[in-house]
Amino acid sequence: MSETHDCTHPEHHVHSTEGFVSEVEAACVERGLRLTPLRAEVLQLVAEADGPVKAYDLLDRMKSSRGGNAAPPTVYRALDFLLEHGFIHKLASVNAFISCHHPRSRQHQVPFLICDGCHMAVELEDEQTALQLEAQARALGFQPQGHTLEVHGLCAKCVASGK
């Protein structure tokens, strides 16, 4: 799971891999969802990643742990399930996935800061930005179905190191 977060409300965040997986398991029970062993394995791998992880990287990790019997469609179906239920986010600009720090929240929109140097992604807790985007869209007669705001740049460590 990505190490850096904006914890303006730490009681709503889950930071450890074990805590995250437990929260998702509990959310699945509450919602009557089936977290199959394959879905749980993909979830665990996304949570263990140091930052955003691409589907084919997940597939490679699964193949090495299973002796080569993981197929792309199965990984993508598991990712689709986890995305649909808000347990992970897809960062479209880098075509990668990251675990959600609010796994029990059915739907929320959050901005991400993505470092172009080290590829770290920070999930910000900024409800005001999400509400403002939605209000502006509706004022134009647009009915948003969802959004992920991605801001690219350099994190403090990369700026300091001159990347």
Side-chain angles (χ1 to χ4, degrees):
M1 206 151 115
S2 185
E3 296 176 22
T4 309
H5 338 276
D6 175 32
C7 293
T8 52
H9 299 290
E11 68 277 9
H12 299 296
H13 279 90
V14 179
H15 298 290
S16 72
T17 298
E18 299 79 23
F20 172 71
V21 172
S22 294
E23 285 291 309
V24 171
E25 289 170 345
C28 285
V29 170
E30 288 170 6
R31 299 182 204 170
L33 302 173
R34 188 163 174 254
L35 187 64
T36 64
L38 177 70
R39 291 170 179 170
E41 183 178 2
V42 170
L43 178 74
Q44 180 82 27
L45 290 171
V46 172
E48 289 172 351
D50 290 334
V53 61
K54 295 182 180 289
Y56 274 90
D57 292 334
L58 293 170
L59 183 63
D60 289 343
R61 291 175 192 174
M62 290 176 74
K63 283 182 178 178
S64 66
S65 70
R66 294 170 156 229
N69 68 348
T74 59
V75 172
Y76 279 109
R77 280 194 297 270
L79 288 167
D80 287 344
F81 170 86
L82 297 170
L83 280 168
E84 177 184 350
H85 297 288
F87 302 134
I88 63 173
H89 296 286
K90 182 174 184 179
L91 302 177
S93 65
V94 293
N95 195 26
F97 303 88
I98 192 163
S99 48
C100 175
H101 297 296
H102 309 85
R104 290 181 111 162
S105 176
R106 289 184 186 263
Q107 188 175 6
H108 67 281
Q109 309 296 330
V110 294
F112 282 90
L113 302 179
I114 301 171
C115 180
D116 293 325
C118 67
H119 308 290
M120 173 204 56
V122 178
E123 178 180 340
L124 296 178
E125 187 173 315
D126 187 350
E127 190 175 317
Q128 196 60 33
T129 298
L131 291 173
Q132 191 173 24
L133 280 171
E134 179 133 344
Q136 289 178 347
R138 291 194 185 281
L140 295 171
F142 187 82
Q143 294 185 5
Q145 305 280 319
H147 66 272
T148 302
L149 175 62
E150 300 177 25
V151 179
H152 283 263
L154 295 176
C155 69
K157 287 180 184 177
C158 288
V159 169
S161 70
K163 283 191 178 180

